[in-house]
Amino acid sequence: MAQIREFRVADTVKVKKGSDINVRRPYENTKPYATKLDSNAGDLKRSPKFHEGIVGQIKKVYGWISIPPDHSKRTSYYQVAFNLSDISEKATSKDKVYVDVFEDWLERAPRSEL
Amino acid sequence: MTGDDELKQALQEEYAKGHFDHAKPTNITAFKEHTLPDYVWKFVTLEEVMTGCGLFPFELSRRKKDELWDVEQPGGVAMRDLPYFDMRITRIREVLKEQGIMTEGDLKSEVEKLQKEFKDKGKEPQGLELEALGMINFITVTSGILGKEPFAGHYQQVKARTPISGAKIVAKAWVDPDFKALLKISPKEAIYGWDPHVSPEIVDIIDPNGLEVPENTKEVRNVVVCTVCSCYPREVLGEPPLWYVSETYKRRIINEPRAILADWGLKLDDNTEIRVYDIDADIHYMVLPIRPEGTDGWSEEELAKLVTRDSLLGVSDPLTPAELKAQQ
């Protein structure tokens, strides 16, 4: 079965605002381990939350990876660069954060938003 | 002197220097950075063997940590204030009890046996040493849930994972352009397939994750963090240092990377781009630092000594020849 990638290197993407149920994101700004977990929901993807709703740029394409909770579905996996100045007021325009993100969590964004 | 005595002496020296207390990078050569108390190595082995053979999913222990985050543990300290390895020992103890694999009484009788043994030998246990060894004894001997042999075999592998492997890889990349080219495209191919002298003495076969080795340049500085938990390139660096798993680092490196690096003695030019890699369990990262100046003609072995564990994570530079001399 052929699988087609949605994005390529240098594409501009935005991280969708998603459900917290199966994503463990302990390090939110206030309480370090504020988790909303449904223990019956299967395996968890562990991910930071700070990139939610932020626009970034694809830097690398890794191939495919099975996706939680039940790993029955595969998705492409990307290295995405975000400007830390979009996340923190104390960061400069030269500070970036690179996070590896599932294709399912990404949507296309206009280049002007980067 | 026996191996145990040597280790004990080495540890005492390290403690005296404050190396286990480090809230910030110490930036000492990777060849001096690999000592941990033996019971910690054994405990890490137990953790990996138990989850590796499916006794319980590792995620359970992460959830246990969250559940007990604010709960006071025996000894009067909440989970979040426990030292890193004590936290890991505590959460595994709780998971084993919850899963009905080991009861409180089982552990108590193991600990009592060990207390007597330690007393007879005149040894002082450190931290949660007795609990860790008690669990190991219960799982591998008393209950026989796991045999001693898989444990002993994996223990050798766990102990072979030290930042020395990372240092050797970097030194090879500094002298061998072909190796470096492959390391940047396909790090695992380079490390495990290119030259057996580079790979750890005992290649760890339980190594399912990917690896990336971003290179520092004059314009770009790479830094590694795991803000969610403590993902770490263990296959090439061993167990993480305490500053790496501290909440201060996790928070500040995202919010003000330039400031925390400056506080830790790494002043970067305003034009230098900082790339913070927030890594996960699927792909691990190790930094390839810039070769220090004044090392022309140095051999691979000499160069490897300049590499520090902290420079492989990006928060420090490798040692200069003068700094190495001062540390020796």
Side-chain angles (χ1 to χ4, degrees), chain A residues 24 27 60 62 79 88 98, chain B residues 66 212 227 255 276 280 285:
Chain A
R24 188 181 179 285
Y27 277 87
K60 208 166 208 169
Y62 286 124
Q79 185 190 69
S88 160
Y98 281 52
Chain B
D66 293 353
E212 289 289 319
T227 58
N255 285 313
V276 180
D280 55 35
Y285 285 75

Side-chain angles (χ1 to χ4, degrees), chain B residues 25 41 64 109 111 113 128 134 136 150 183 226 244 272 289-290 292 297 299:
Chain B
W41 290 125
K64 204 38 133 186
S109 74
V111 168
K113 266 193 269 173
L128 292 181
I136 293 164
L183 187 68
C226 169
Y244 182 88
T272 309
I290 300 178
S299 72

Side-chain angles (χ1 to χ4, degrees), chain A residues 20-25 28 33-38 49:
Chain A
D20 277 4
I21 295 295
N22 287 321
V23 184
R24 188 181 179 285
R25 290 163 163 163
E28 296 184 32
Y33 283 86
T35 49
K36 276 190 257 172
L37 294 182
D38 174 355
K49 193 185 172 65

Side-chain angles (χ1 to χ4, degrees), chain B residues 106-153:
Chain B
D106 291 335
L107 182 61
K108 218 176 145 203
S109 74
E110 295 292 343
V111 168
E112 277 163 11
K113 266 193 269 173
L114 284 161
Q115 263 165 347
K116 197 175 168 297
E117 225 172 87
F118 269 64
K119 213 174 162 192
D120 290 348
K121 289 185 188 164
K123 288 201 287 184
E124 272 296 312
Q126 305 165 357
L128 292 181
E129 182 169 6
L130 294 180
E131 295 211 0
L133 296 178
M135 278 192 267
I136 293 164
N137 211 31
F138 179 77
I139 297 290
T140 62
V141 182
T142 312
S143 72
I145 291 171
L146 294 175
K148 272 195 113 164
E149 273 178 25
F151 179 85

